[in-house]
Amino acid sequence: IIGEITGHFNAFIFNVAVLLRRSFLPRPFHVEPRNIVDEASQGRVSAEASALSSRVHYYGRLTASSDRLLAPPDHVIPPAEELYVYSPLGTAFKVKGKESPVKNPSIVTIFAIWNTMMGTSILSIPWGMKQAGFTFGIIILVSVGLLTLYCCYRILKSTKSIPYIDTSDWEFPDICKYYFGAFGQWSSLFFSLVSLIGAMVVYWVLMSNFLFNTGKFIYNYAHDVNMSDTDFGTNGSDRVICPFPESDHGGNCSIGAFYVSNNATQPTVFDQWWSKTNTIPFYLVILLLPLLNFRSASFFARFTFLGTLSVVYLITLVTIKAIRLGFHLEFHWFESTAFFVPEFRPLFAQFTGVLTLAFFIHNCIITLMKNNKHQENNVRDLSLAYLLVGLTYLYVGVMIFAAFPSPPLSKECIEPNFLDNFPSSDVLVFVARAFLLFQMTTVYPLLGYLVRVQVMGQLFGKHYPSFFHVFTLNIVIVGIGVLMAKFYPNIGSIIRYSGATCGMTLVFVFPSLVHMISLKRSGELRWPSALFHSLLIILGIANLIGQFFM
C-alpha cells in the first residue's frame, strides 16, 4: 500500500512539474493592454494573441533550439518590450527582465563620437596642410574623411551580415575572428594596440612640451625675464615665432621685421634642469608611472569632459589669433617662393597619414553606436559626427595656415604642433598649454588602462593578473614615450606613422575584405563592388608605404 501511494505521489509531482513548465514557459507574442495582468483585475488573452502563441509553438516543434534554420521568422517574434508569460488559463504576465542600459539621444551620440575623435591630431592639421599644399590639403582632408566614413559604415553594418549567430555583443575583433580565424583576431588586436600606444607616445611628447613651456612661462614671469630677444619671429603683441628658421627657407628677409639673438649666452642653472628633451620627459615618469598602476581607471574617467572643453578653447584661441593676425595668402600652384608653399606638393602622403589617425574611431564604433536610442538613425548620426569632425579639422587647419604671417615668416615655419609657433610668454597660449597638460595627464592613465585590458586579457585572461605583470607592461610603455620625447619629439611624424600603420588594416583592409567576403558568400558580389573595395585596400597599403618615401 505504501509503495502504491508513493508511486501515485511521484506521478502527481511529475504531472505538476510538466504543468508548471507548460504554464510558465516564456512565450513571446502580442497581448492587448487590457489582457495584461498587473495590479489591476485579471484579464483574458485575446484570440489573436492565442493564435500567435500557437504559431510560435509550431515553429518551436519543427526543430531543436540550436538549429537556427527553422527558427520563427522576425514577423512572428514581437520586440523585446512585448514579451509575456502565457498561461493556458488565459492570463498574460509581462516579463520584467533586468533593466536595459541607458540609451542616448542622437545629439549625445553625435557629440560622443566627435569628442572621441578629437585628439592630439588637431594640433598637426595646419602642419599637414602645409606639407600637402593649401588647396591640395583641403581636397585631401575632405577625401580622407569621406573614405574613412564609408569604411566606418562598413564596420557598423558588418554584424548584420553574419547569419544564424547572435552578434549583439560582438566587437570588430570578433568579426575579424569570424572571417579570418585567429589571425584576424590577433592582427586586429595588434594594430589596435599600435594606435593606442602611438597615442600614448604622442601624449608623452606633448606633455613634455606643455610642461616645459608652462614652467618656462612661470619662471620668466617670476624673475621678470624678457625672452623676446631670443626668439626668431615677428614684432607686435601677437608674436608668431619660427623655432627653427635655419632649416626652413632661404628667402630675403627684412632685418627690422625680426628679433634675432646675436649674443651667445651660457645656459642658466634653470635651463640645465628644465630642458624639453633632456630632463622633462624623465620628470613625467615620477608623476605618471604610479597612476598607470591603478587597478581601476574610473577616477580618471570623470575628467573626460575636459577633452571637450580643451577643443572648444583651442577653436576659440584659433579664432582670436586669426582675427588679430589677419589672412596672408598667395597662390603658387606648383612652385614655392620665399614665403609661400605651392598649392600642390609631393609630400601629401604625410598629411594622409595624419588624417587616417585623426578620423580613426573604427575599433570602437560598434560600442559607441550600441547606446544610441534610435538604432535606425545610426548611419545618419555617424555621418553627422564625421561631418562635425571634418569641419572642426578644416576650420583649425585653414585658419592657422591662412593667418600665419607670411611675410615676414615663411609658411614652412608652421610646426607639427602649431602651438610651438607662439612664444612661451603668450598668455592665451599659456592657458591652452596648461589646460591641455592637465587634460592629457588624466587621459594618459585611461589609455594605459585600455592597453592593459587588451594585452593582459588576451595573455592571462585577467585585466590585472598581478602588480608585477602590470608594472612591467607600464615600464615598457613609459620607456617608449621617454625615448621618443628625448630623441624624436616630432608629433607630426609619430602621428602619421602610427595612423598609417593601424589605418591600413583596421580602416581599409579588414572592413573591405569583410564586406567582399560576406557578399561572396551570399552570392551578391559584383565586379564594381569588388573593384572599389580592392582599390580601398590598395590605398591603405599605399598610404603606409608613402610614409617612408615622402
Side-chain angles (χ1 to χ4, degrees):
I1 295 174
I2 294 176
E4 185 177 0
I5 293 175
T6 303
H8 285 296
F9 178 76
N10 290 337
F12 172 76
I13 294 298
F14 175 78
N15 292 331
V16 170
V18 172
L19 179 61
L20 289 175
R21 180 180 180 274
R22 292 178 178 177
S23 300
F24 297 100
L25 182 67
R27 306 175 184 180
F29 63 95
H30 175 76
V31 180
E32 296 179 4
R34 62 184 180 86
N35 297 322
I36 300 174
V37 174
D38 200 355
E39 297 178 357
S41 60
Q42 178 172 320
R44 303 292 298 177
V45 177
S46 64
E48 178 185 359
S50 180
L52 182 56
S53 176
S54 300
R55 288 200 296 272
V56 172
H57 276 269
Y58 170 73
Y59 282 105
R61 292 179 181 274
L62 290 178
T63 183
S65 60
S66 60
D67 189 353
R68 302 290 299 172
L69 293 176
L70 295 176
D74 293 337
H75 70 274
V76 174
I77 303 297
E81 61 270 13
E82 296 180 2
L83 291 179
Y84 301 87
V85 175
Y86 170 59
S87 168
L89 301 178
T91 306
F93 299 89
K94 186 170 180 60
V95 176
K96 296 182 179 179
K98 62 180 181 179
E99 294 183 2
S100 58
V102 178
K103 299 294 185 179
N104 298 323
S106 294
I107 187 66
V108 175
T109 302
I110 292 171
F111 277 96
I113 298 174
W114 175 79
N115 188 33
T116 304
M117 268 198 281
M118 283 289 115
T120 56
S121 301
I122 192 173
L123 299 175
S124 297
I125 295 298
W127 171 82
M129 192 167 289
K130 180 256 295 186
Q131 296 298 93
F134 183 63
T135 302
F136 199 25
I138 295 176
I139 296 173
I140 289 177
L141 193 151
V142 175
S143 301
V144 174
L146 291 175
L147 291 177
T148 51
L149 168 61
Y150 175 76
C151 293
C152 198
Y153 163 76
R154 290 266 60 97
I155 292 177
L156 193 61
K157 292 295 184 180
S158 59
T159 57
K160 308 298 182 183
S161 61
I162 300 177
Y164 314 130
I165 296 178
D166 182 14
T167 60
S168 58
D169 59 344
W170 280 26
E171 303 295 339
F172 192 56
D174 300 313
I175 298 171
C176 294
K177 181 180 180 180
Y178 174 82
Y179 283 101
F180 309 111
F183 169 78
Q185 180 186 17
W186 286 101
S187 59
S188 62
L189 173 64
F190 171 77
F191 288 106
S192 179
L193 289 176
V194 169
S195 66
L196 288 174
I197 295 177
M200 295 184 73
V201 170
V202 172
Y203 269 45
W204 200 276
V205 175
L206 285 176
M207 286 187 293
S208 301
N209 183 311
F210 296 151
L211 181 59
F212 169 78
N213 284 285
T214 302
K216 191 175 180 181
F217 175 88
I218 297 174
Y219 176 84
N220 293 338
Y221 182 80
H223 294 81
D224 196 21
V225 177
N226 185 8
M227 299 296 295
S228 60
D229 292 336
T230 62
D231 292 329
F232 185 87
T234 62
N235 290 313
S237 57
D238 287 286
R239 299 189 64 239
V240 178
I241 64 174
C242 187
F244 307 102
E246 67 279 357
S247 62
D248 290 316
H249 64 91
N252 298 321
C253 305
S254 174
I255 299 298
F258 299 94
Y259 288 113
V260 183
S261 176
N262 295 320
N263 299 323
T265 59
Q266 294 295 328
T268 63
V269 176
F270 174 79
D271 294 329
Q272 293 177 354
W273 289 94
W274 197 257
S275 172
K276 185 187 297 185
T277 57
N278 294 329
T279 59
I280 299 296
F282 296 94
Y283 295 160
L284 288 174
V285 177
I286 303 174
L287 171 65
L288 293 175
L289 184 58
L291 300 181
L292 289 175
N293 295 296
F294 281 21
R295 184 177 294 270
S296 174
S298 58
F299 172 76
F300 303 102
R302 302 174 183 176
F303 298 95
T304 53
F305 71 94
L306 293 175
T308 303
L309 297 180
S310 63
V311 174
V312 172
Y313 183 81
L314 276 179
I315 295 174
T316 305
L317 174 66
V318 168
T319 304
I320 294 174
K321 292 296 183 181
I323 293 174
R324 292 180 177 178
L325 294 172
F327 288 167
H328 307 268
L329 289 174
E330 283 187 11
F331 295 93
H332 304 273
W333 297 108
F334 300 103
E335 295 182 359
S336 60
T337 63
F339 302 107
F340 296 93
V341 297
E343 300 302 303
F344 297 88
R345 303 186 72 183
L347 301 176
F348 65 89
Q350 298 182 8
F351 194 28
T352 60
V354 171
L355 289 174
T356 305
L357 189 63
F359 286 108
F360 181 72
I361 199 176
H362 300 65
N363 58 343
C364 61
I365 189 60
I366 296 178
T367 302
L368 288 174
M369 300 308 291
K370 280 180 183 177
N371 296 325
N372 197 11
K373 186 175 182 180
H374 301 285
Q375 292 292 306
E376 67 276 7
N377 296 332
N378 277 352
V379 176
R380 183 202 66 183
D381 296 343
L382 178 64
S383 302
L384 290 176
Y386 260 84
L387 176 63
L388 188 61
V389 170
L391 290 177
T392 305
Y393 288 151
L394 189 63
Y395 180 81
V396 173
V398 169
M399 296 295 278
I400 291 295
F401 185 92
F404 195 83
S406 300
L409 299 180
S410 170
K411 297 290 186 183
E412 288 284 4
C413 288
I414 298 178
E415 289 292 300
N417 172 13
F418 74 83
L419 293 179
D420 287 343
N421 287 115
F422 300 97
S424 58
S425 58
D426 192 310
V427 177
L428 291 177
V429 179
F430 162 75
V431 173
R433 286 170 174 150
F435 197 13
L436 287 170
L437 176 62
F438 180 74
Q439 184 246 339
M440 290 182 178
T441 304
T442 60
V443 173
Y444 188 84
L446 285 176
L447 296 176
Y449 177 78
L450 294 176
V451 173
R452 182 211 311 171
V453 167
Q454 295 194 26
V455 174
M456 297 301 176
Q458 292 294 330
L459 295 181
F460 304 101
K462 298 179 180 179
H463 297 167
Y464 202 100
S466 70
F467 175 80
F468 174 77
H469 290 85
V470 174
F471 184 74
T472 303
L473 175 63
N474 292 334
I475 284 291
V476 174
I477 296 174
V478 168
I480 296 174
V482 170
L483 291 176
M484 296 298 291
K486 178 173 176 57
F487 296 106
Y488 194 71
N490 188 326
I491 67 166
S493 295
I494 299 173
I495 289 174
R496 67 185 180 92
Y497 280 117
S498 60
T501 301
C502 68
M504 180 188 67
T505 53
L506 299 180
V507 176
F508 295 105
V509 175
F510 278 170
S512 300
L513 286 179
V514 165
H515 182 59
M516 287 193 290
I517 293 174
S518 65
L519 291 180
K520 178 68 175 178
R521 290 180 178 179
S522 62
E524 299 177 358
L525 182 62
R526 300 294 182 267
W527 72 264
S529 178
L531 180 63
F532 174 74
H533 291 91
S534 299
L535 181 61
L536 285 180
I537 296 175
I538 295 174
L539 287 176
I541 298 174
N543 184 34
L544 177 60
I545 296 175
Q547 306 308 315
F548 299 94
F549 296 97
M550 294 185 179

